[in-house]
Each structure stands twice: as C-alpha cells, then as structure tokens.
Amino acid sequence: MGNSVNFFGGKNLEYINLSDNGFWEFTGVINGLTGFKTFILSGNQLDILSVTFFDPFPSLEHLDLSETNLNPDFISASSERLFQKLSDLKKLSLERNSLTLLSSNTFSANRNITHLLLSGNRFNRVPFNLKNTPELQVLDLQNNAIVSLDRETTDNLDRLAADSGGFQLMLGGNVLLCVCENVPFLYWLAHTSVLFDRDGNFSCINNDGVLTHTKAFVDPIIVWRQCAGQFYFYLSIFLLCTMIIGFLTTLVITRNKTLILSSLLQMFTNFKVLKSKDYKIGVFIGYADRDYMFACTDLRRYIETTLGLTTYLQDRDLLPTFDMAQGIVEAINSSWRILLVVNRTFLNDDHWSLFTMKSAIFALTPANPDRVVVLVDKQLLSELPGDLLSSVPEDNIIPVSRWEMTYRLREMLRTRLL
C-alpha cells in the first residue's frame, strides 16, 4: 500500500478485513471509502506507517491494529496525529505491539471512543489522559508492566465509572506491588465501583518479595499491621528513646548544674575556678555532736596526715563565745571542701544539721562546683533532702556501709578532696 488506491462505488462499503495478509507498507492514500466503519488490519506489518494514512476515513468506528508490529517510537511521537481525523472512532485495538508510550493528548479528538484494547504492550501506567475519553466503557491493560496506579488516575477512573454506570478496567497479567507505598491503590482496588477482570484479584509482590494476591490486602487490620503498624512501632520506640534521653539529660543537668555552668564559663570566658590555696581552711567537716568519734579521729587524721589538708571541726575550732550559726557560715565560706558526715543522728537528731546542709548548698558556686562532698549511710540515701541531692554532683555523694576508713573510702575521699 505504498501507492495511492482509488475505489469507485465504495461509498456504501462499511466493513473491510485485511488481517494477516502480509501488507507491509502503509504510506499511500486510499480514496473512495469515506463511509466504511470497520477496518481490521491485524497481523500485518505496520512498522512503515504514515501519520495521515487514516485521514480519508472520517466515519471509521472500529479500528483493529493488534499485533501489527507498530514502531514504538513512531507511536509515542505521533499517536495523537495518527487518530486525529477519526472523530467517530468508538473501538480501537493496539494489542500485542510492545508499545511503551502514547504521545500527549492522544484521543483528544476521539471523544466518542468506548473501547480501548491495549493489552500485551509495555505500558507502566494508563498511557493517555482519561479526561479525553469521557465515553470510555472498557479499558484493557492486561499483560503490561503496571505495578500501581496513582491517585489522579484512580480518581478519573472513578469518575468514568460514576458517569457510565458500568466502566470496566482489565489488569490481569500485570504483576502489581503490594507494598506499603501502594496501600492507597490496593484499598482503591477493593472499594471502587470500577469493574475488574478476575474479580479484582490480581497477582502482586509483597514487601518480602513473595508473590501473593491483592485480595490479601482487603482487611484494613492486616494493612495496618504490615505497614502503618510497623511505622508507628518504630515511631513509638523513637519517642520512648527521646523521652528517656530527655529525662536523663534533665537529671544530669539538674544534678550537675553548677559543674556544667562552671565548665561553660571556663570554655567561653576568662573565668577561672578557685583552688585550695585560695581558701584558709582545707576541709570543713560537718557531723553530729553525739557521733563525733569517727569524724574527729579517723576521718580527721586521714585528711590532715595523708592528704595534707587542714580541717575545721566545730568541737575543736569554734570558740565557746562565738555565735554557732555565724561560726558555721564563716567556716564553710573559708573552706576549700565541705565534707558532711550524714548518719542517722546527724539527719534526725542534730539541731544544726539542716542549717549546715543549707549553708553548704549555698556555698556551691561555679568557681568551686565540686565543693560539697557527702558521706552518707547507704540506708539513708533515700532520706537525704531533695535540694542537697539536686545540688551536689552524684560522684560526690559517697554511700558507706560502715563507718571505717577502708581502702575504698580513702581512695574516694582522696580523689574528691584533692
């Protein structure tokens, strides 16, 4: 058909079937068949095809170009122009041609089309704008490369189904993806009014790469567990970890706020921390009057003899005529370290214990953030005042099981007092 062909007396001819005739060139012009409605060319070789070949057939309603070896590049570039003059076209078959694309606005001039048969190609989506085919009733996309349909496409398909009352979409032979990203599409498959082949149950590959079927994703609880449930599980773990980290960070900052402030001041300013030589007294020892033996003997002897620091003991260094409160405050303010010996008597029975602890807390400054050290009976840890626990660095609170100068206690005192 490379040359022009003229038919005389063919105005009343309505049906032409040239299938499987070995025709291989369609570049000429056929005149005189302006009234025929069905043209079947399946099984021929249409790889050489003119974009104007179908222009002389304005009354054509059914065109069959299935299995005609159409050139994919030619169709992707010229399909709009190829069918432009077929305004009465209702049924078009492009099956089994290995097509991948159609040109933009294909079928914009074919608004009466009702049946589009596109099976056996390589389309990965609906290859035309569904708004150009308002009368479409059947769309056959079987055995293509479709894995999912986007939201805009499904909305347009729903609109066609609502307008026609019986729109059918054929998707059999496509291997869909039943993965979490496609849950909206899978939900649409189960709930749309569009009619499907195979009862809407298509082969698909799940998140684990296993071949399954779309009906397995109808139950929303299953979808939640497999997709959203996993996401929210990881989200809850993340939020839990964030809360734990936030709690621990807050706790550390609260317990070490003076030390942190001191470190920041040293880092960003010329602020300098004080040293033991800046104080008149090495260690102020706070203890209960009734339990003076450990504090005034073993503990004092270790600090003065082994560590070489001077000590302040109220039973020894506070003058009888001096005001008790003033003496405690001045001694604390003059001391490099404040060592509190907290036993049951000190905590519950000593009249000056609370005052001594309060004064020690007020003496904490960024210039000396490790100033207070607490020796406490480990059974009394939970009974220590909250402001003392929140002000003294955790490492400076030393629980003891018995009031003896053990090796462990000596080493802990050495690292904290020096």
Side-chain angles (χ1 to χ4, degrees), residues 178 180 206-207 216-217 221-231:
C178 292
C180 295
N206 64 17
N207 284 306
F217 284 78
I221 296 179
I222 295 177
V223 175
W224 169 261
R225 288 175 179 173
Q226 293 182 352
C227 299
Q230 184 181 33
F231 167 76

Side-chain angles (χ1 to χ4, degrees), residues 376-404:
V376 57
D377 188 326
K378 67 178 183 179
Q379 295 181 352
L380 302 177
L381 269 175
S382 60
E383 299 181 30
L384 287 176
D387 49 358
L388 183 67
L389 287 172
S390 63
S391 301
V392 179
E394 185 173 359
D395 287 345
N396 280 16
I397 298 177
I398 305 173
V400 294
S401 56
R402 61 184 188 275
W403 296 104
E404 297 177 4

Side-chain angles (χ1 to χ4, degrees), residues 145-162:
I146 294 174
V147 297
S148 179
L149 297 177
D150 59 37
R151 178 64 180 272
E152 181 181 2
T153 299
T154 56
D155 287 347
N156 287 328
L157 291 171
D158 284 336
R159 192 174 298 112
L160 285 173

Side-chain angles (χ1 to χ4, degrees), residues 42-161:
S42 61
N44 293 286
Q45 297 295 311
L46 271 70
D47 53 328
I48 302 176
L49 176 64
S50 169
V51 294
T52 60
F53 182 78
F54 298 110
D55 287 1
F57 317 129
S59 300
L60 196 62
E61 295 181 1
H62 178 197
L63 177 60
D64 187 346
L65 302 178
S66 60
E67 208 166 357
T68 51
N69 197 31
L70 289 169
N71 188 310
D73 294 332
F74 170 78
I75 294 298
S76 65
S78 307
S79 58
E80 177 187 359
R81 176 60 188 87
L82 185 64
F83 308 120
Q84 190 175 51
K85 301 297 183 179
L86 307 181
S87 58
D88 292 338
L89 188 64
K90 293 183 178 180
K91 183 176 181 179
L92 173 65
S93 175
L94 296 173
E95 299 174 282
R96 299 182 298 281
N97 280 296
S98 299
L99 303 177
T100 55
L101 292 171
L102 298 179
S103 61
S104 61
N105 288 323
T106 298
F107 309 129
S108 58
N110 313 109
R111 302 187 68 83
N112 294 316
I113 199 163
T114 60
H115 291 70
L116 271 174
L117 310 181
L118 306 177
S119 66
N121 289 290
R122 298 175 183 173
F123 298 121
N124 59 12
R125 56 184 174 84
V126 175
F128 60 93
N129 189 342
L130 288 163
K131 294 180 180 179
N132 291 334
T133 57
E135 303 298 324
L136 191 62
Q137 298 176 9
V138 176
L139 176 57
D140 185 355
L141 287 170
Q142 297 180 87
N143 300 302
N144 275 276
I146 294 174
V147 297
S148 179
L149 297 177
D150 59 37
R151 178 64 180 272
E152 181 181 2
T153 299
T154 56
D155 287 347
N156 287 328
L157 291 171
D158 284 336
R159 192 174 298 112
L160 285 173

